[in-house]
């Protein structure tokens, strides 16, 4: 049971569906309940739990895709900043959070993430997340 694999395989459909599929990685909005509008996830198509185990091809695509994801997100939601981070503790499948920091979210990154992830102060509707996913998808084409 792996949420990452479930999204890759279509068992779990995030709001707006898969935004972009590269050769080795996909981009999607975070699953419902969406913690924040525009909270994107970049994850490999194959189940892999350690960055050290990526192939050089996977690693190369990752760099480009993180940059493209941040650019696409910025064009759509115009955040003050875009955070990119990866923990992989509760969902061990490698995944990067690409998180827009909006005005009003604390500029102390950890405080801001606490509001978003723990306090869930910035949750948005699935419809809103799906609309943003669609707009981000357009940026990729
Ligand atoms: Zn997996």
């Amino acid at each position: 049971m792996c949420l990452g694999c479930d999204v890759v395989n279509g068992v779990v459909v995030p709001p707006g569906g898969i935004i972009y599929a590269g050769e080795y990685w996909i981009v999607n909005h975070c699953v419902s309940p969406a913690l924040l509008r525009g909270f994107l996830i970049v994850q490999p198509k194959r189940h892999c739990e350690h960055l050290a185990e990526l192939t050089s091809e996977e690693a190369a695509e990752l760099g480009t895709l993180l940059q493209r994801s941040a650019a696409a997100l910025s064009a759509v939601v115009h955040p003050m900043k875009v955070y990119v981070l990866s923990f992989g503790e509760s969902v061990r499948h490698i995944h990067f959070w690409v998180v827009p920091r909006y005005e009003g979210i604390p500029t102390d990154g950890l405080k801001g993430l606490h509001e978003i992830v723990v306090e869930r102060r910035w949750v948005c509707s699935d419809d809103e997340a799906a609309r943003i996913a669609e707009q981000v998808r357009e940026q990729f084409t």
Side-chain angles (χ1 to χ4, degrees):
M1 189 71 190
C2 167
L3 179 58
C5 287
D6 282 351
V7 170
V8 169
N9 296 322
V11 176
V12 171
V13 179
I18 303 298
I19 292 171
Y20 176 84
E23 192 169 353
Y24 304 106
W25 297 81
I26 62 168
V27 180
N28 55 273
H29 199 285
C30 71
V31 299
S32 182
L35 294 172
L36 177 73
R37 64 190 173 88
F39 189 131
L40 303 183
I41 304 289
V42 175
Q43 59 188 339
K45 291 180 177 175
R46 72 175 175 101
H47 184 90
C48 182
E49 298 187 359
H50 304 285
L51 278 177
E53 294 173 359
L54 293 178
T55 66
S56 55
E57 291 83 4
E58 288 169 333
E61 188 180 89
L62 172 63
T64 302
L65 194 51
L66 287 175
Q67 183 274 332
R68 290 184 71 195
S69 298
L73 187 61
S74 295
V76 172
V77 301
H78 309 290
M80 309 303 288
K81 184 113 182 136
V82 176
Y83 297 155
V84 176
L85 56 156
S86 179
F87 296 111
E89 294 283 6
S90 58
V91 176
R92 297 193 60 83
H93 190 126
I94 294 171
H95 60 288
F96 288 83
W97 292 357
V98 180
V99 183
R101 182 181 64 73
Y102 299 110
E103 183 123 38
I105 296 176
T107 55
D108 175 323
L110 292 178
K111 276 188 191 158
L113 286 172
H114 195 271
E115 281 192 7
I116 295 164
V117 178
V118 179
E119 298 172 35
R120 299 192 171 204
R121 271 194 216 175
W122 297 84
V123 169
C124 75
S125 70
D126 286 2
D127 283 350
E128 189 174 6
R131 273 198 303 278
I132 288 183
E134 179 57 37
Q135 291 173 332
V136 171
R137 182 181 294 112
E138 287 168 12
Q139 292 292 319
F140 270 100
T141 56

